[in-house]
Amino acid sequence: MSGSKIVVTGASGVLGTAVHKAFEKALRYEVVGLKNKSIASHLVQLDLTDKEATKLKLEEIQPTWVVHCAAERRPDVAEKDQVGTQLLNVGVPGYLAELAKAINFTLVYISTDYVFDGRSPPPGGYTPESPTNPLQIYGQTKRDGENAVLQARQQGARAVVLRVPVLYGPAPNNADSAVNILVDVVRDQSKESYMDDYAIRYPTNVLDIASFLVRLTDLSFDALPPILHYSANESFTKYQMCKIFADILGLNGMNHMKPVSTPPTGAGATSRPYNCHLSTTETEKLLPLECTGFRTWWEEYLHDSGK
């Protein structure tokens, strides 16, 4: 869509950075990236929880699309700060969806596979229509954010939910991604650690999602269903990912790491789903998925970046 103005919220995060760069690289967009606490000078400072400031900024920009990546994405933090997480993961997307109608832009709300409990995924994975049943505050707030966005869509807002699984990709710090951080854990053999070998994950590259979003904005909103899924199909536990990293890095064994093949228990343990495989069949009817091979990407990235 030539001449589109794109706003990316959370543009300093791992996904937001990739999305912001992908739209800039496409050249046919005017792109505005929003940040909250980042020091990145190329991004615009905006507290999305400030409704009036958000309204004024979006009225000033007059975007065609808003890709909403900003969220509290850390389940453990969400449990500890439930009020703040509720505001960011439910209140903000709900208000952005209202503004989508008032200002006349299309909102893409990035959600998560954690809206499902993962106990018994259907053959082929959860579909967009599958009943949600989140196990923890993070999943509950993202589900409630979805509901707020979809309610606004029913009232005439142009809004779409895009669910994604655990993400990885280029990151300034490995700690910025639940997958990238495993590289540091594997490298530091001075510390004994316990690693999840229970939950099945479908790590998906943010560069692939960013490319998909650029292609999505070329479509008419009328062609878009309320909920889309984007996911790679390769499955791993975190321990299996660590074994791949150790092999790529040429480390001799992982004696410092003990696999844990049972769900987390005990005081302070945050419940996580067993297998939230997302079906991408509906998405592939719109656009082909282009998913990078997990090991292939990490071999090149670790070799080139020294991360």
Side-chain angles (χ1 to χ4, degrees):
M1 189 180 294
S2 179
S4 291
K5 281 189 179 180
I6 310 289
V7 167
V8 181
T9 73
S12 61
V14 176
L15 177 59
T17 297
V19 172
H20 187 262
K21 286 182 177 178
F23 277 107
E24 282 193 325
K25 188 176 178 181
L27 298 178
R28 59 187 186 274
Y29 303 95
E30 182 181 336
V31 190
V32 178
L34 303 181
K35 64 179 180 178
N36 185 18
K37 297 175 182 175
S38 168
I39 60 172
S41 59
H42 67 290
L43 302 177
V44 175
Q45 175 73 38
L46 181 65
D47 177 2
L48 292 169
T49 65
D50 183 333
K51 286 188 172 183
E52 187 58 28
T54 300
K55 180 173 181 285
L56 289 172
K57 179 55 68 176
L58 291 177
E59 284 178 339
E60 174 193 327
I61 297 171
Q62 289 291 311
T64 317
W65 292 76
V66 172
V67 181
H68 182 45
C69 300
E72 178 48 72
R73 61 169 184 80
R74 300 162 295 180
D76 296 329
V77 174
E79 296 290 329
K80 295 185 176 91
D81 181 15
Q82 296 187 17
V83 174
T85 300
Q86 179 81 14
L87 182 61
L88 188 56
N89 288 1
V90 185
V92 168
Y95 185 56
L96 288 176
E98 291 177 22
L99 293 178
K101 183 177 180 182
I103 302 175
N104 197 30
F105 61 80
T106 302
L107 174 68
V108 181
Y109 169 58
I110 306 297
S111 191
T112 172
D113 58 349
Y114 270 31
V115 299
F116 300 111
D117 60 27
R119 293 190 175 111
S120 54
Y126 291 101
T127 70
E129 295 77 29
S130 296
T132 58
N133 186 35
L135 297 180
Q136 75 295 94
I137 294 297
Y138 167 66
Q140 289 167 16
T141 58
K142 292 299 286 184
R143 187 270 316 275
D144 292 347
E146 287 187 3
N147 288 343
V149 167
L150 295 173
Q151 184 176 358
R153 176 175 171 130
Q154 290 176 345
Q155 296 169 355
R158 296 201 310 272
V160 180
V161 172
L162 177 64
R163 293 179 183 143
V164 298
V166 67
L167 304 178
Y168 71 94
N173 303 293
N174 283 334
D176 295 338
S177 156
V179 176
N180 292 44
I181 188 65
L182 300 178
V183 175
D184 293 345
V185 178
V186 168
R187 274 202 175 109
D188 188 357
Q189 300 196 349
S190 67
K191 297 177 185 174
E192 185 171 288
S193 60
Y194 294 90
M195 187 56 62
D196 179 15
D197 197 26
Y198 168 76
I200 297 171
R201 313 300 297 274
Y202 296 82
T204 299
N205 198 305
V206 294
L207 300 177
D208 296 336
I209 296 172
S211 170
F212 172 79
L213 285 164
V214 171
R215 291 182 287 136
L216 190 73
T217 61
D218 285 331
L219 301 180
S220 163
F221 173 74
D222 294 336
L224 306 183
I227 302 173
L228 290 166
H229 289 172
Y230 193 104
S231 174
N233 275 319
E234 292 179 286
S235 62
F236 309 92
T237 66
K238 283 191 173 183
Y239 184 73
Q240 289 169 338
M241 291 184 229
C242 288
K243 288 173 70 175
I244 291 172
F245 294 145
D247 190 43
I248 293 172
L249 294 167
L251 302 176
N252 294 321
M254 295 197 304
N255 295 329
H256 67 300
M257 191 176 295
K258 310 298 180 189
V260 179
S261 56
T262 55
T265 57
T270 303
S271 295
R272 283 171 165 80
Y274 168 62
N275 181 358
C276 287
H277 186 206
L278 296 174
S279 167
T280 58
T281 301
E282 293 302 312
T283 307
E284 291 175 79
K285 290 177 182 176
L286 281 178
L287 292 166
L289 268 61
E290 298 171 355
C291 294
T292 306
F294 184 78
R295 183 182 178 112
T296 302
W297 188 86
W298 277 106
E299 285 177 338
E300 184 175 335
Y301 181 68
L302 291 173
H303 178 267
D304 291 347
S305 70
K307 287 287 184 183

